[in-house]
């Protein structure tokens, strides 16, 4: 493989919806997934929502001959649910846990317990260093009134940061997973524009799959179509993204998705559709360009300006989240103070004779204890919530600080461009094979 | 500065012990620290335990002319306490929060609330890309029976991972902070051997400071010398580490520490001593070597073998931590079950007549309620503890998995060396200026 200048790399991604005892036909679906992977022998398999390690180990056994290398990322209480299988040796793994990931008291949503994160494995494909990322962002439960939006934006921010900062030495970068972001959502634009990652769906030469590349489709029997409203047919939230470097040029030869059913099986692999991309890696004999033309400079400046806008938009979203988190923290504090006041009042009634009921009435012991317990419960709950919201505030402030720094730095670089002509915001990045067209020139 | 081939870089690090209202002479000490930094004009200032953002902002105002660039890292409930000031523009910042950091119920130790992390800022020094890291690891409260050891080992593991994976594109790497690790502690060896970072104290040409470079000294008036036992004079736990790359060679020209008192002031800057290092950066005209000699190969193999031993030792420590965490989780679960059984028994006594007291005795309402409350309190506490310990178990398992993967990968590379002669474990790394002598050849 490494002898030739061209390498073909097949990448697979699937959100497995693998909640033992809760997800429908979980065991049977894992068996089907195992069969598929065994048969197709993709180079790299990136799975999400493999919530049980037992299921991972079962898959690992089944794939031991086709995919001898694997890694399961652990995080949170039941997570991270992310697993990777590879035909190429994995020589390093690293996990970044997102600082924000929903609320523990929203147990029915479960995201907090899943410990959402981005995992990275480093592989050598021939003589090329591949950094492969898998992630799963916080779900969107209600698009109109999405209280988790700031969390998802911060996750997308941290995801792009993690990829940018850990991919300097990579010849190729691949990210796959359930981003829970529509193609034009803020987090998606932030991720793609900042990292220079390209979407296999929009870039592929050949596509075979659901209309518009949707991966969460109304036709899937595990999905309640009402939940998809107003997107009747479905939404595209699962992705395989990639980029090359000065040493490697990548083209997406083909992309396919499953289509809600599997031939000869009564149900599909999961509630999400699986993605399979075939990438063609072309090793370059010499480093890309050096003499930039004026047009290319304008392009880079246009991209920078676009990025400034996107980060500013993200910052606004984070500020909205910050306002909400601060308000929630204030509410928790106020409720706690009221609980404390009630407790003190009660103690005063019990201790100071003239505040108590007349001597002719018996002391209402049961009510006294119940009220006391209520006060204590309020105090403890509000204390825990106060701590939690303070951490949320800190994380949001931290992200906002970093975004402010990034905007300043981008604007500084923008000032370095000689702008005689107006920018052309529609042009493509400087060099499509550039490892990261928007990394500062170090 | 960038015109010459030689650049002088002065780096300062101090754990400020800045707990408002609790640390002694906090305000006065910050004023002294501000004066010192204003006067000395170090290129890069890395502070820890600046717990209050107000104090950071106050320092920022004071240093606005000497250090126009700064970043404050936010994490946890009151943390991360880490701040950086720079004379060179900071164009990017990124924070990695350690997955393990003590226990929230150990509130008197406070580490959990501090949200310990490693922060990175990217600077351009002349034409060189500097990645500068600041960190503060979990404190050691009792060396003989250190229940936090697995947490600190995992933190050191994640620290080296973070530095390795984010420093590929750097011309020079600097790490400073309070590691809470003695020079030969496992975490310290792990960090230095894996990253190739060099300790300014052992490498410096000129040293002026406390004996043996100690930074937490018995002579400091804020320290109770009994706490240092058995290290009568003090311990060295604060560090400035650095490494160059193929483009830059770094030498530590001088290192100095404060010595427990400040001339003309009644007390020192902090309970820790400050470190000041003067680094000389020599930009190299061509990339370092290419033709390895046999001796150098042996050296690299020796280092790899040493690293395998260190990671294996770390893995053992993490396994001990895992055993303890699993035991604690089991205890929490068992206590929870007992609380539940007690609650059910109580409900049965109240509901089933023949289980109750005789009809001649009144129902003991107060005891009934109190016992019920106790059961509920047990249930809630054990539930929260169970969740927490599960997260601890997951994090420890995750670290152990990554360590196992690393050992396998290192051994694989070790097999690639032609070993005719026995290894020489004492020889120095392959190339002292190598960006990371132990990074896999990508």
């Amino acid at each position: 493989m490494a002898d030739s200048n061209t390498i073909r790399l097949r990448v697979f991604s699937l959100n497995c919806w693998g909640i033992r005892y809760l997800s429908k036909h979980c065991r049977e679906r894992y068996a089907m997934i195992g069969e598929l992977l065994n048969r197709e022998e993709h180079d790299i398999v990136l799975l999400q929502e493999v919530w049980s390690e037992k299921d991972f180990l079962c898959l690992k056994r089944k794939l031991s001959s086709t995919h001898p290398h694997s890694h399961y990322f652990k995080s949170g209480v039941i997570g991270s649910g992310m697993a990777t299988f590879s035909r190429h040796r994995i020589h390093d793994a690293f996990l970044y846990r997102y600082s924000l990931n929903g609320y523990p008291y929203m147990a029915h949503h479960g995201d907090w317990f899943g410990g959402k994160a981005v995992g990275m494995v480093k592989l050598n494909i021939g003589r090329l260093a591949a950094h492969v990322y898998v992630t799963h962002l916080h779900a969107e439960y209600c698009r109109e009134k999405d209280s988790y939006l700031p969390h998802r934006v911060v996750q997308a921010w941290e995801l792009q940061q993690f990829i940018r900062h850990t991919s300097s030495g990579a010849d190729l970068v691949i990210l796959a997973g359930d981003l829970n972001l529509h193609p034009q959502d803020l987090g998606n634009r932030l991720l793609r524009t900042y990292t220079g990652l390209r979407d296999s769906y929009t870039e592929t030469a050949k596509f075979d799959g659901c209309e518009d590349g949707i991966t969460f489709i109304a036709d899937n029997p595990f999905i309640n179509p009402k939940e998809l409203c107003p997107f009747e047919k479905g939404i595209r939230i699962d992705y395989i993204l990639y980029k090359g470097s000065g040493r490697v040029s990548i083209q997406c030869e083909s992309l396919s998705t499953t289509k809600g059913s599997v031939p000869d099986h009564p149900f599909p692999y999961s509630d999400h559709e699986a993605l399979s991309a075939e990438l063609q890696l072309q090793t370059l004999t010499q480093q890309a360009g050096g003499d930039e033309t004026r047009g290319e400079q304008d392009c880079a400046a246009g991209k920078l300006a676009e990025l400034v806008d996107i980060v500013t938009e993200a910052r606004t979203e984070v500020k909205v989240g910050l306002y909400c988190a601060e308000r929630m923290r204030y509410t928790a504090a106020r409720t706690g103070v009221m609980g404390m006041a009630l407790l003190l009042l009660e103690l005063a009634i019990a201790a100071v004779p003239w505040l108590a009921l007349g001597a002719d009435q018996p002391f209402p012991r049961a009510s006294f204890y119940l009220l006391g317990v209520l006060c204590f419960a309020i105090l403890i709950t509000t204390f825990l919530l106060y701590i939690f919201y303070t951490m949320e505030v800190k994380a949001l402030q931290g992200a906002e600080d970093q975004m402010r720094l990034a905007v300043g730095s981008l604007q500084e670089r923008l000032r370095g461009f000689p702008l005689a002509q107006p920018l052309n915001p529609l042009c493509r990045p400087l060099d499509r094979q550039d490892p990261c067209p928007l990394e500062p020139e170090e």
Side-chain angles (χ1 to χ4, degrees), chain A:
Chain A
M1 237 171 130
D3 299 334
S4 159
N5 264 355
T6 304
I7 298 174
R8 242 166 247 283
L9 194 73
R10 293 175 65 231
V11 182
F12 178 89
S13 175
L14 173 64
N15 177 325
C16 296
W17 189 43
I19 317 168
R20 277 199 164 200
Y21 315 116
L22 282 177
S23 299
K24 284 177 192 161
H25 309 291
C26 198
R27 186 190 292 240
E28 295 92 327
R29 289 190 293 106
Y30 270 119
M32 287 162 59
I33 293 169
E35 272 170 37
L36 172 76
L37 297 177
N38 235 324
R39 189 175 65 237
E40 291 290 333
E41 298 192 7
H42 302 89
D43 291 272
I44 301 165
V45 173
L46 300 161
L47 304 180
Q48 305 96 52
E49 290 210 26
V50 184
W51 293 122
S52 160
E53 194 179 359
K54 283 182 191 158
D55 291 323
F56 164 75
L57 293 173
C58 189
L59 273 179
K60 187 177 166 169
R61 264 195 306 279
K62 204 173 266 178
L63 302 177
S64 58
S65 60
T66 53
H67 297 83
H69 311 288
S70 62
H71 191 77
Y72 185 61
F73 292 100
K74 286 168 191 155
S75 158
V77 186
I78 52 158
S80 65
M82 300 184 308
T84 168
F85 294 92
S86 167
R87 286 157 52 79
H88 307 271
R89 186 175 188 92
I90 295 173
H91 61 75
D92 224 332
F94 188 34
L95 185 73
Y96 180 90
R97 292 160 185 86
Y98 297 124
S99 61
L100 289 172
N101 185 34
Y103 305 96
Y105 53 80
M106 300 296 272
H108 58 297
H109 284 169
D111 292 71
W112 186 86
F113 293 86
K116 302 289 175 72
V118 47
M120 173 182 74
V121 289
K122 288 186 174 182
L123 322 167
N124 286 350
I125 296 171
R127 298 181 73 85
L128 300 175
H131 291 199
V132 179
Y133 301 85
V134 55
T135 195
H136 184 192
L137 303 195
H138 197 292
E140 182 183 80
Y141 295 97
C142 171
R143 198 162 174 85
E144 282 69 47
K145 210 177 164 185
D146 182 10
S147 56
Y148 298 115
L149 182 57
H151 286 213
R152 212 176 308 104
V153 169
V154 170
Q155 290 187 346
W157 173 256
E158 291 176 347
L159 174 59
Q160 68 77 15
Q161 276 190 315
F162 184 71
I163 293 175
R164 267 193 313 125
H165 294 306
T166 57
S167 64
S168 302
D171 294 318
L172 64 140
V173 174
I174 291 166
L175 163 66
D178 174 4
L179 298 186
N180 276 311
L181 293 168
H182 295 221
Q184 285 311 313
D185 278 1
L186 174 60
N188 208 326
R189 284 181 285 134
L190 188 64
L191 172 67
R192 281 184 290 118
T193 316
Y194 228 137
T195 59
L197 283 166
R198 290 150 63 198
D199 182 351
S200 54
Y201 174 69
T202 56
E203 302 276 336
T204 185
K206 203 175 105 192
F207 176 72
D208 173 32
C210 303
E211 197 183 330
D212 299 326
I214 53 176
T215 58
F216 198 69
I217 64 173
D219 288 345
N220 187 303
F222 298 133
I223 290 177
N224 177 2
K226 280 182 194 160
E227 281 175 19
L228 285 169
C229 184
F231 304 97
E232 274 176 30
K233 288 178 183 168
I235 52 181
R236 184 158 82 91
I237 53 175
D238 299 83
Y239 299 84
I240 294 178
L241 306 172
Y242 62 91
K243 69 172 178 178
S245 67
R247 278 187 67 196
V248 184
S249 135
I250 307 189
Q251 300 300 328
C252 183
E253 290 288 289
S254 71
L255 178 75
S256 63
T257 72
T258 51
K259 296 170 192 172
S261 63
V262 182
D264 305 325
H265 283 283
F267 36 78
Y269 296 112
S270 172
D271 60 346
H272 285 242
E273 300 310 312
L275 289 167
S276 278
E278 195 172 319
L279 304 175
Q280 195 183 59
L281 319 182
Q282 183 87 34
T283 49
L284 304 172
T285 42
Q286 59 183 38
Q287 296 275 330
D291 45 353
E292 280 177 355
T293 66
R294 178 56 187 266
E296 279 167 340
Q297 266 195 8
D298 280 359
C299 254
K303 272 280 158 184
L304 278 179
E306 185 190 343
L307 196 49
V308 169
D309 288 347
I310 295 174
V311 178
T312 306
E313 194 181 336
R315 224 181 125 190
T316 309
E317 208 52 70
V318 170
K319 274 183 190 164
V320 171
L322 191 55
Y323 173 76
C324 292
E326 280 173 339
R327 216 179 44 185
M328 294 297 280
R329 183 170 68 169
Y330 175 71
T331 306
R334 208 176 46 182
T335 314
V337 168
M338 279 162 58
M340 177 63 90
L342 197 63
L343 189 69
L344 290 176
L345 183 70
E346 207 196 351
L347 289 176
I349 290 173
V352 183
W354 63 263
L355 279 173
L357 303 164
D360 50 334
Q361 285 185 37
F363 185 76
R365 249 193 217 179
S367 318
F368 178 81
Y369 287 130
L370 273 179
L371 201 60
V373 166
L374 183 72
C375 292
F376 263 113
I378 289 173
L379 276 177
I380 290 170
T381 310
T382 51
F383 175 73
L384 291 177
L385 284 175
Y386 187 85
I387 296 282
F388 183 83
Y389 288 127
T390 301
M391 289 166 72
E392 188 186 5
V393 165
K394 280 263 171 187
L396 286 162
Q397 283 176 340
E400 209 247 306
D401 287 350
Q402 289 173 1
M403 287 175 183
R404 193 178 53 230
L405 184 75
V407 168
S409 177
L410 290 168
Q411 282 171 335
E412 179 80 14
R413 287 171 56 206
L414 207 49
R415 276 195 285 276
F417 283 98
L419 291 183
Q421 297 158 18
L423 297 175
N424 175 7
L426 294 172
C427 60
R428 303 195 49 82
L430 226 178
D431 176 358
R432 281 178 41 161
Q433 301 306 335
D434 199 35
C436 178
L438 297 162
E439 270 289 280
E441 296 138 33
E442 287 173 357

